[in-house]
Amino acid sequence: TTCCETNCDEPIGECGDDALQGDLNHDGILNVLDIVLMVNIVLDGDYEAIADMNGDGIINVLDIIILINMILS
């Protein structure tokens, strides 16, 4: 599975020094804004590799839960 961009050859989580898995607004912080964006991705049926927290090729409630747990821990 690839990361961040459709032509990225690096594994998820290794998208470069400034990329943070789950940081959907690219502000360098995991917070509620990223959760809102991920919920919108799920509702729209879209796919963004940076939102695929478990690397299963699908953005769904499992990815949202992983992101929430990362923020809370």
Side-chain angles (χ1 to χ4, degrees):
T1 306
T2 59
C3 66
C4 300
E5 302 294 330
T6 56
N7 60 357
C8 178
D9 294 327
E10 300 173 30
I12 287 178
E14 297 178 14
C15 302
D17 295 337
D18 59 351
L20 179 62
Q21 190 69 22
D23 183 16
L24 301 177
N25 62 356
H26 307 287
D27 65 355
I29 310 166
L30 295 179
N31 57 29
V32 68
L33 299 176
D34 300 302
I35 295 170
V36 170
L37 292 172
M38 189 176 291
V39 168
N40 286 332
I41 290 170
V42 170
L43 293 175
D44 292 341
D46 293 337
Y47 181 84
E48 291 188 34
I50 197 165
D52 190 4
M53 303 300 288
N54 60 3
D56 65 356
I58 303 167
I59 310 300
N60 57 26
V61 68
L62 297 177
D63 300 293
I64 296 169
I65 291 169
I66 292 169
L67 179 59
I68 290 171
N69 285 334
M70 288 177 67
I71 292 168
L72 294 177
S73 62

